[in-house]
Amino acid sequence: MDLQNQMKKAVAQAAVDQIQNGMILGLGSGSTAALMIEALAIKIKSGEIKDVVGVTTSFQGEVLASELGIPLKSLSSVSEIDLAIDGADEVDPKFQLIKGGGAALLREKIVAQQSSAMVVVADDRKKVDVLGAFPLPIEVTQFAYLTTVRELSSLMNCHVSIRMEEHKPLVTDNGNYIADAQTGPSILNPVNLENQILQIAGVVQVGLFNNMCDAVVL
Ligand code: 5RP
């Protein structure tokens, strides 16, 4: 196993060690979150953690967690999530995040918003002083996506492109496209930028997670 993967495994394990019996958990997406799901499944199997229920943030996470025998519920059927554990693409010193590298930002944000606490698991490459070196993912409707891309590009004064997969636009679990904005490391006021982006009608959600993350395990 390479060093990067070892680090991801270690942070995933450290986050799982925070889980208490009976918790309702938000299970994030991405490679680090997948390692966390695997570590959780081992603890459930050994009886070290009891009576937990997971709410997944992507189809991929749902398949993995159910294959590993983690009891799952839909978000609509639980009143609140105790702890969401998820990965991130960038984390700034105030724990503001860029997420959506895996195109799951909408479900991740809905789950994070319903959680009493959010812990991010990430390797130390994700730590930045200013957000934006990682292209900012924005989920947009398929309808008029080029108009939305133009609006986003003019708002942020940068190149914005629709994410492709096998020569076709990537379609999210929610049937939308992802626009990636090449802002560069210049997002000094992520709260303001999030609000401005959400004003554009074709935008479904933006991968800026502001004031949501309580702790980061690096
Ligand atoms: C998916 C995400 C992921 O959590 C993020 O991309 C980090 O993934 P990884 O742990 O594989 O680096 O936001 O939408």
Side-chain angles (χ1 to χ4, degrees), residues 8 29-33 86-89 99-105 108 121 123 125-126:
K8 286 184 183 183
S29 309
S31 58
T32 323
D86 204 343
D89 299 301
K99 285 185 52 53
L105 67 101
E108 290 171 339
V121 282
D123 61 83
R125 292 172 308 162
K126 310 292 180 69

Side-chain angles (χ1 to χ4, degrees), residues 53 84 115 147 152 196:
V53 170
S115 301
T147 309
L152 287 166
Q196 287 181 313

